[in-house]
């Protein structure tokens, strides 16, 4: 492996390290931002926090107005879908914004109407649902890996646009993102997973096979975009070779798709704690305490 590939893998691992730092950042304290002052890395963290604060406002608006939102995240393996989903949900209420990441269908689900198992995950009023892969599995992995017949494949393209029109007519706002990465970048990310013990679980035999069938997936993606890009539910393509830029661009674009406004809230006042003379706090038995190893 040449030096350039090693550097690129190292940058990918650095991004994973930054992901852990993001969880520790205080929204209002920029003094602890990683990176040299004024560096691209520090600017990324600053802008991410700003966009996440806007997502909180969006969440409040969705709850206040009873809006219903479905966001689909599609793309090749290692394209960064999970990373942007994590940043969107990071500071939101999981009761309002939840992720649907469905496993492979079981024997019973294979006999259902194809869209049936996705319907139960659709939002009620005041909810946002992010699909980490969706019904478009049929147009991608199922087509390439031979998990569906030609007739099922064609029926999907007849049904999907009408299914999505039904969702939109019912009052659901549907937003579809495709994360696009290059051949070289996917190779770097796969090598990073191979050499990182904490990420090897992300590599399945299906992922490795998808790498081998790169061109078949490209053809399937092109057909999918052509046949399911409609006025009611258009596709939006996110260039994702640069993970950080892809996250910021996607979140920024998502915020532009809804006319949200900051919802006024009554000031929160912490009530005084009641104290009773007959209250006695009993000590916790020592055998119930978790040992202080650290």
């Amino acid at each position: 492996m040449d030096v350039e590939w090693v550097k690129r893998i190292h940058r990918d691992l650095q991004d994973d390290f930054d992901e852990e730092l993001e969880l520790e950042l205080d929204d209002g304290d920029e003094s602890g931002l990683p990176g040299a002052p004024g560096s691209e890395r520090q600017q990324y963290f600053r802008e991410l926090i700003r966009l996440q604060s806007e997502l909180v406002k969006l969440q409040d608006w969705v709850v206040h107005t009873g809006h219903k939102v479905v966001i689909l995240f599609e793309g090749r393996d290692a394209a960064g879908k999970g990373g942007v989903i994590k940043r969107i949900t990071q500071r939101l209420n999981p009761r309002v914004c939840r992720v649907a990441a469905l496993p492979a269908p079981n024997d019973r689900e294979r006999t259902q109407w194809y869209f049936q198992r996705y319907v139960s995950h659709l939002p009620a009023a005041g909810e946002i649902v992010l699909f980490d892969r969706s019904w478009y599995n049929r147009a991608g992995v199922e087509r390439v890996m031979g998990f569906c017949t030609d007739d099922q494949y064609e029926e999907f393209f007849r049904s999907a646009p009408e299914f999505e029109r039904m969702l939109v007519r019912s009052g659901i706002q549907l937003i579809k993102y495709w994360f696009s990465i290059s051949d070289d970048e996917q190779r770097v990310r796969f090598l990073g997973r191979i050499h990182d013990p904490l990420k090897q679980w992300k590599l399945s035999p299906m992922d490795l096979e998808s790498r081998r069938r790169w061109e078949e997936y490209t053809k399937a993606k092109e057909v999918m975009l052509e046949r399911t890009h409609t006025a009611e539910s258009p596709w939006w393509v996110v260039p994702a070779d640069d993970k950080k830029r892809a996250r910021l661009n996607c979140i920024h674009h998502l915020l532009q798709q809804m006319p949200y406004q900051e919802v006024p809230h009554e000031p929160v006042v912490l009530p005084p704690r009641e104290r009773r003379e007959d209250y006695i706090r009993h000590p916790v038995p020592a055998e119930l305490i978790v040992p202080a190893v650290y």
Side-chain angles (χ1 to χ4, degrees):
M1 189 181 302
D2 60 35
V3 174
E4 181 58 31
W5 282 104
V6 172
K7 288 181 179 178
R8 291 178 68 175
I9 293 173
H10 181 267
R11 286 197 296 269
D12 193 55
L13 294 174
Q14 176 69 63
D15 183 76
D16 296 328
F17 175 69
D18 283 353
E19 179 177 307
E20 302 304 319
L21 291 177
E22 289 168 23
L23 298 174
E24 305 299 327
L25 294 177
D26 186 336
D27 292 1
D29 181 15
E30 295 191 358
S31 63
L33 292 178
S39 66
E40 285 191 11
R41 188 176 175 216
Q42 190 171 97
Q43 291 173 14
Y44 162 74
F45 282 111
R46 182 177 289 110
E47 186 63 9
L48 177 66
I49 290 174
R50 187 189 72 80
L51 291 172
Q52 288 178 331
S53 69
E54 290 298 314
L55 285 171
V56 172
K57 296 177 186 177
L58 171 65
Q59 170 186 252
D60 288 349
W61 176 82
V62 166
V63 173
H64 180 72
T65 61
H67 201 53
K68 295 180 284 187
V69 187
V70 168
I71 310 169
L72 309 188
F73 294 88
E74 296 287 346
R76 296 182 187 272
D77 295 311
K81 302 179 295 298
V84 74
I85 290 172
K86 191 175 295 184
R87 272 68 179 187
I88 291 171
T89 61
Q90 190 170 330
R91 302 177 190 274
L92 300 185
N93 184 344
R95 293 182 180 85
V96 175
C97 181
R98 68 179 187 274
V99 179
L102 278 61
N106 57 36
D107 290 341
R108 180 176 180 276
E109 289 170 334
R110 290 190 187 96
T111 67
Q112 294 176 339
W113 175 49
Y114 177 70
F115 298 94
Q116 187 169 336
R117 71 192 193 112
Y118 297 99
V119 170
S120 63
H121 296 273
L122 295 175
E127 294 180 350
I128 303 170
V129 179
L130 314 181
F131 278 89
D132 187 352
R133 295 195 182 281
S134 66
W135 45 88
Y136 282 98
N137 278 337
R138 174 137 296 175
V141 63
E142 290 190 19
R143 174 61 172 176
V144 174
M145 302 303 294
F147 295 155
C148 66
T149 66
D150 289 346
D151 287 344
Q152 289 172 329
Y153 180 66
E154 286 302 319
E155 178 58 33
F156 171 80
F157 284 126
R158 285 191 291 270
S159 299
E162 187 56 37
F163 173 65
E164 292 173 4
R165 291 187 189 102
M166 291 170 62
L167 297 183
V168 173
R169 288 198 301 269
S170 75
I172 293 174
Q173 181 172 2
L174 177 62
I175 304 170
K176 304 187 298 190
Y177 288 114
W178 173 270
F179 279 69
S180 178
I181 58 170
S182 65
D183 189 346
D184 280 351
E185 184 61 26
Q186 188 189 55
R187 183 188 176 203
V188 168
R189 295 182 188 180
F190 274 8
L191 288 173
R193 293 180 178 184
I194 289 172
H195 294 286
D196 184 352
L198 299 179
K199 295 176 68 177
Q200 286 179 1
W201 64 270
K202 292 186 175 183
L203 272 179
S204 68
M206 195 74 68
D207 296 333
L208 298 175
E209 184 63 18
S210 74
R211 176 65 190 161
R212 189 176 72 83
R213 301 194 188 196
W214 172 274
E215 293 182 1
E216 292 179 58
Y217 271 94
T218 299
K219 294 176 183 177
K221 175 206 71 175
E222 291 170 348
V223 172
M224 181 193 78
L225 295 181
E226 179 183 354
R227 299 186 66 176
T228 59
H229 177 78
T230 65
E232 297 85 356
S233 53
W235 279 102
W236 299 100
V237 177
V238 181
D241 273 7
D242 186 318
K243 287 183 179 181
K244 288 184 168 66
R245 292 181 188 276
R247 292 167 193 155
L248 298 181
N249 288 331
C250 183
I251 296 173
H252 179 271
H253 182 271
L254 173 62
L255 290 167
Q256 304 305 307
Q257 303 311 300
M258 283 166 269
Y260 73 97
Q261 298 175 347
E262 188 165 1
V263 177
H265 294 282
E266 293 293 329
V268 178
V269 178
L270 186 66
R273 186 174 82 79
E274 294 183 353
R275 298 183 181 276
R276 301 181 182 276
E277 293 183 1
D278 60 347
Y279 170 75
I280 299 175
R281 181 177 180 180
H282 298 285
V284 178
E287 61 269 21
L288 301 184
I289 303 296
V290 173
V293 177
Y294 301 99

